[in-house]
Amino acid sequence: MTSPTSSATPSTPAAPRPTETTAVGAPPATAPRPAPFAPVGRIPVVEVSPVIEDGRWPAKGTVGEAFPVRATVFREGHDAVAATAVLVTPDGRDHSWAHMVDIAPGLDRYEAWLMPDAPGTWGFRVEGWSDPYGTWRHDASIKVDAGVDVELMLTEGALLLERAAARDLPAAAAQVLRDAVAGLRDAGRP
């Protein structure tokens, strides 16, 4: 798991047929096995799909055909969360990832599409994480429109983007963030 918060990882899938790739699941021995226990962290990731019988049977897919990954991701309080779906190769390496989109606002249901590009026993995981920019954007849009704590919201946004610009980013991306900070600190703007 690469997320500092929490993630849900389906069981290791069974071997696919030559024209198929397994997306998730667990190989049946003589009878289906229950999915392994996973503790619930600060940002729970639950109801992950595609799985069959809670991960007891492998879900299968076709090489080159994208499949949807869905999960419910939430946390206590009012801070925003975000999620990422990560496709894992048959040898256990991260292949690709996709930012998940909230497909049911208010229900915390997220979705992304992944696509295996070779036959094998593939897997995926869903990583849930705190989204400080999403939290600020939500709060600022409400307060600035209402004329409440406008200076505070702009200052918080500038500090948040300054921290982001200080990270190891390409020069062009860091410059975009610094320009946004200058815009948020410009008291002459309406």
Side-chain angles (χ1 to χ4, degrees), residues 28-72:
T30 55
R33 294 179 296 175
F37 171 77
V40 176
R42 183 175 171 144
I43 301 176
V45 176
V46 297
E47 299 173 349
V48 177
S49 69
V51 297
I52 300 173
E53 293 290 326
D54 294 324
R56 291 179 182 205
W57 301 101
K60 297 193 178 189
T62 303
V63 172
E65 181 179 317
F67 64 94
V69 174
R70 295 185 182 107
T72 300

Side-chain angles (χ1 to χ4, degrees), residues 6-10 45 48-49 69-71 73 83-86 100 124-128:
S6 65
S7 69
T9 305
V45 176
V48 177
S49 69
V69 174
R70 295 185 182 107
V73 183
T84 305
V86 181
M100 298 183 81
F124 70 92
R125 71 176 177 273
V126 172
E127 300 172 344

Side-chain angles (χ1 to χ4, degrees), residues 135-158:
T135 300
W136 172 79
R137 186 182 62 216
H138 174 264
D139 293 348
S141 67
I142 293 170
K143 290 184 177 185
V144 170
D145 288 347
V148 176
D149 294 332
V150 173
E151 186 178 334
L152 174 63
M153 287 288 99
L154 298 179
T155 300
E156 284 182 2

